[in-house]
Amino acid sequence: MNPFDADLKHLCPTSRHPIGLRIIRAEGSYLYTEDGCAYLDFISGIGVANIGHTHPAVVAAIRAQAAAYLHVMVYGEYLQAPQIRLAARLTALLPRPLSVVYFTNSGAEANEGALKVAKKFTGRSRLVGFHGGFHGDTHGACSVTGRDLYRKPFAPLLPQVTFLPFDDVTQLRRIDDRVAAVIVEPIQGEGGIRVPSDRFLPALRARCSEVGALLIFDEVQTGIGRTGKYFAMEHSRVVPDIVTLAKALGGGMPLGAFVGRRNIMKTLSRDPPLSHVTTFGGHPVCCAAALAGLDVLEKEDLPARAAKMGAQLASDLRALAAKFRSIVDVRGMGMMLGLEMSSAAKTARLVRRARALGLILGWTLHSDRTIRISPPLTLSDAERAQGISIIRAALDEG
Ligand SMILES: Cc1ncc(COP(=O)(O)O)c(C=O)c1O
């Protein structure tokens, strides 16, 4: 029996109207479905396929590591070459103080770990997040996610969390010496692709240093080349105390990490030891996949490509904005772009019509008027032109 025809009642739904594409293959910038259609993926499903889908180098690395060993022990006990190599590779790409890596399975878990180590290191309990921020759906990550709608159904969450307006320097004095950590996305993703003013992140860094609060950059979505640099922090030159990564890190496999200063990270090994462990975090197959993915990123100079291709895409989108009044703004950095529409209804219509024409788009979780444009960084000129022409055709329909 065709598995797609099976009764889906045993799969937990996450929305009332899932997209429901029947995927049989994915390669490069395209998804292929059972009915023979090819879909150009302009969201990289979501923010993961930075080097394109099913990259052959990643697949080969997975095969080789799977043939050697799969899982062998909870994270941190045995020495496993893929973890050691990946930690060295990642820390070489990051600013020097960020020199110790803890691997997780996902972005939410990376943020959980970062928040916990910050509380343990500082001995403080208060946390600060920003309106419009998104950090994942576990209890801790959800507690610092800046939208009531998604927090309320799960209350009570962590106590002593304060939310400040994103990109408002005047409010930063509300961070005081009772705060363990401030968590922020250097560019808000789910908040609607919001790039802060040049002053914001340096001012935030200064205030955190002043009061002894740790600064956590959530680069789960902005990292691994997406914004035109390996990490978005490079644009502002602000170095956080801890950075969290996931999504594109694993080259398509589930892998996250929090990376911090040595003196901070060390606190996880004592008082008591084993106070933060994970069975599968840093799975050797995922670390091998990540290493292969970083090779591709480096060899093909994909962060630079993202800067160049992103500028071209932004200019194409601005040309559309000049023609169609339903587009009210085009913003973003590198290949992390947002197209703000005049209404949620117009957004939903454009996404639906584009899909019918073979292009995958989607809106951001906290902003139903912002369409994210985040294709694989390997996007070719022909694929860019195809995507833009589908958006134009979908808008032409009114
Ligand atoms: C900025 C940010 N942080 C954290 C997460 C959560 O990551 P995960 O879904 O891997 O738990 C996401 C997911 O969209 C994200 O965009």
Side-chain angles (χ1 to χ4, degrees):
M1 186 180 131
N2 182 338
F4 295 124
D5 291 332
D7 191 337
L8 296 183
K9 71 176 179 222
H10 300 296
L11 269 185
C12 180
T14 54
S15 73
R16 245 191 278 169
H17 303 290
I19 301 168
L21 292 186
R22 297 173 161 213
I23 304 293
I24 54 165
R25 194 162 66 83
E27 190 180 325
S29 303
Y30 290 92
L31 307 173
Y32 299 90
T33 51
E34 193 204 22
D35 53 3
C37 293
Y39 290 85
L40 180 57
D41 185 0
F42 257 34
I43 59 174
S44 303
I46 288 172
V48 171
N50 284 15
I51 58 167
H53 287 281
T54 329
H55 197 288
V58 172
V59 175
I62 291 171
R63 284 212 171 98
Q65 180 56 43
Y69 58 91
L70 300 174
H71 177 264
V72 286
M73 182 49 154
V74 294
Y75 176 68
E77 292 297 319
Y78 295 166
L79 298 183
Q80 300 176 51
Q83 289 178 353
I84 298 167
R85 284 203 199 105
L86 182 58
R89 188 79 178 270
L90 267 181
T91 50
L93 290 171
L94 284 162
R96 189 168 304 178
L98 300 172
S99 62
V100 176
V101 183
Y102 187 116
F103 289 115
T104 66
N105 302 286
S106 67
E109 286 170 84
N111 287 328
E112 291 289 339
L115 295 171
K116 281 181 71 182
V117 77
K119 286 169 82 173
K120 194 159 190 291
F121 177 75
T122 58
R124 304 175 184 178
S125 54
R126 288 176 193 260
L127 300 170
V128 171
F130 289 91
H131 293 299
F134 181 73
H135 302 291
D137 279 338
T138 54
H139 266 86
C142 187
S143 301
V144 289
T145 280
R147 193 159 173 223
D148 282 350
L149 183 70
Y150 290 104
R151 282 199 317 272
K152 268 205 180 128
F154 307 106
L157 291 166
L158 282 181
Q160 303 185 331
V161 178
T162 304
F163 291 96
L164 300 180
F166 185 66
D167 199 18
D168 185 345
V169 177
T170 63
Q171 297 293 308
L172 297 180
R173 60 188 141 70
R174 290 172 58 196
I175 302 166
D176 62 26
D177 61 8
R178 293 169 301 171
V179 172
V182 177
I183 184 164
V184 69
E185 296 158 87
I187 297 173
Q188 281 194 342
E190 300 312 313
I193 319 294
R194 294 178 62 205
V195 183
S197 64
D198 290 346
R199 290 172 56 216
F200 180 63
L201 294 173
L204 178 58
R205 171 72 277 180
R207 182 63 185 166
C208 287
S209 300
E210 197 180 336
V211 297
L214 298 191
L215 178 59
I216 302 170
F217 271 7
D218 178 340
E219 291 234 30
V220 167
Q221 198 166 144
T222 53
I224 321 295
R226 173 60 55 196
T227 68
K229 302 270 188 198
Y230 274 93
F231 304 101
M233 69 178 83
E234 294 168 48
H235 297 289
S236 64
R237 295 175 191 219
V238 169
V239 179
D241 299 293
I242 303 172
V243 63
T244 61
L245 303 168
K247 287 200 179 277
L249 174 63
M253 295 293 279
L255 185 66
F258 57 105
V259 187
R261 287 196 277 116
R262 180 169 303 279
N263 59 333
I264 297 170
M265 300 297 280
K266 229 168 44 180
T267 59
L268 289 180
S269 66
R270 54 166 199 252
D271 308 323
L274 302 179
S275 57
H276 189 77
V277 289
T278 166
T279 299
F280 283 119
H283 193 289
V285 173
C286 303
C287 289
L291 280 162
L294 287 176
D295 280 343
V296 174
L297 209 73
E298 202 170 300
K299 266 192 215 132
E300 299 183 19
D301 202 8
L302 292 181
R305 189 179 166 68
K308 212 166 138 216
M309 178 62 81
Q312 188 61 58
L313 262 173
S315 129
D316 293 346
L317 293 169
R318 289 204 176 96
L320 289 181
K323 180 160 180 237
F324 296 97
R325 275 192 320 195
S326 53
I327 302 176
V328 299
D329 193 23
V330 175
R331 55 177 178 262
M333 248 188 189
M335 288 174 85
M336 183 172 176
L337 298 171
L339 196 62
E340 187 174 330
M341 306 293 291
S342 54
S343 72
K346 290 213 161 89
T347 309
R349 199 157 59 208
L350 174 56
V351 169
R352 203 174 53 243
R353 286 183 177 160
R355 189 159 65 237
L357 296 170
L359 177 71
I360 305 291
L361 297 174
W363 53 87
T364 62
L365 195 62
H366 296 335
S367 170
D368 57 10
R369 290 201 298 138
T370 307
I371 290 179
R372 80 173 85 235
I373 308 280
S374 54
L377 313 184
T378 48
L379 192 79
S380 70
D381 283 322
E383 290 164 349
R384 171 176 56 80
Q386 184 196 0
I388 293 294
S389 99
I390 292 178
I391 296 174
R392 184 183 305 111
L395 287 164
D396 260 336
E397 287 177 33

